[in-house]
Amino acid sequence: ELIQSEVLKGVMVSSGLYETKESKTRRDKALGVLRGIVRDWAGDVGKCPSDPDSCARIELYGSCRLGVQCPSSDIDIVVIAKSSIGHAEFFGKLQERLRKSKDIKNLNALPNAFAPIMKLKVFDTHVDLSLASLPYATLPKKWNSLDNESYVQDIDYKSLLALGGVRNAALLLRLV
């Protein structure tokens, strides 16, 4: 079994399907930039500069959340936010901050899409960014999309769509 695993890993590495140290570093750097921008934005629009994570923070989903990314994988991110932060702030003030960042390239905002999203590049890493506004005055310190599902009854449809990937990833990780 160990030999087969090593053979498989060798095939994946030679095919460019295995995360390299360089791509992991680039992805981590991109996440750091985005976390910083979201924290600053959340502190301002959410009026909680001393604890911006109680206003909004990022949640990964997709291949990066599941740990199956390859060097060319994008980063799928949902910004979870307290109830007073909505799509107007997301596509307004946050988009402005992203556009001003020297690290962000090719920002394409799609506020009228079925599932509203911003597509961008950070350090040559593609990122899909969406918003889920949750029905909380402040975000819980530890929030799990599967722990208490009563909140889904009180969120708008666009936020529910944004949470689909986060919830699916959490369910998959819980099952394995």
Side-chain angles (χ1 to χ4, degrees):
E1 225 173 83
L2 291 176
I3 294 172
Q4 288 175 332
S5 292
E6 286 303 314
V7 169
L8 178 60
K9 182 178 177 181
V11 169
M12 290 177 69
V13 168
S14 66
S15 299
L17 299 174
Y18 199 79
E19 179 85 285
T20 64
K21 186 182 267 187
E22 295 81 18
S23 63
K24 182 177 180 350
T25 300
R26 186 180 68 241
R27 195 176 323 282
D28 289 345
K29 192 174 172 186
L31 281 169
V33 165
L34 289 170
R35 274 194 182 97
I37 292 171
V38 167
R39 282 178 60 84
D40 291 345
W41 166 76
D44 290 345
V45 300
K47 297 179 176 65
C48 48
S50 63
D51 186 15
D53 285 346
S54 69
C55 290
R57 59 182 176 264
I58 66 173
E59 292 280 331
L60 296 178
Y61 67 100
S63 61
C64 290
R65 175 73 171 101
L66 297 172
V68 295
Q69 69 275 11
C70 64
S72 62
S73 293
D74 69 346
I75 304 174
D76 299 303
I77 298 174
V78 173
V79 175
I80 61 166
K82 68 181 190 170
S83 58
S84 64
I85 300 175
H87 284 87
E89 292 82 12
F90 182 75
F91 286 105
K93 298 280 186 192
L94 180 57
Q95 183 182 172
E96 286 175 24
R97 284 178 189 253
L98 292 168
R99 287 198 189 281
K100 288 178 183 175
S101 172
K102 64 180 176 32
D103 300 317
I104 309 291
K105 307 286 184 231
N106 303 337
L107 182 106
N108 188 15
L110 304 166
N112 298 319
F114 180 72
I117 194 167
M118 283 193 261
K119 294 178 153 300
L120 52 113
K121 283 176 82 173
V122 187
F123 305 118
D124 288 326
T125 301
H126 291 271
V127 176
D128 291 340
L129 193 64
S130 56
L131 174 77
S133 185
L134 302 180
Y136 302 119
T138 59
L139 294 178
K141 291 278 184 212
K142 292 190 178 210
W143 178 80
N144 182 314
S145 63
L146 300 176
D147 281 350
N148 177 0
E149 296 189 10
S150 64
Y151 71 88
V152 297
Q153 299 167 4
D154 299 322
I155 62 174
D156 64 281
Y157 189 66
K158 293 175 182 179
S159 294
L160 187 60
L161 290 173
L163 284 176
V166 172
R167 292 169 51 82
N168 288 337
L171 184 58
L172 282 169
L173 291 171
R174 183 179 279 181
L175 293 172
V176 290

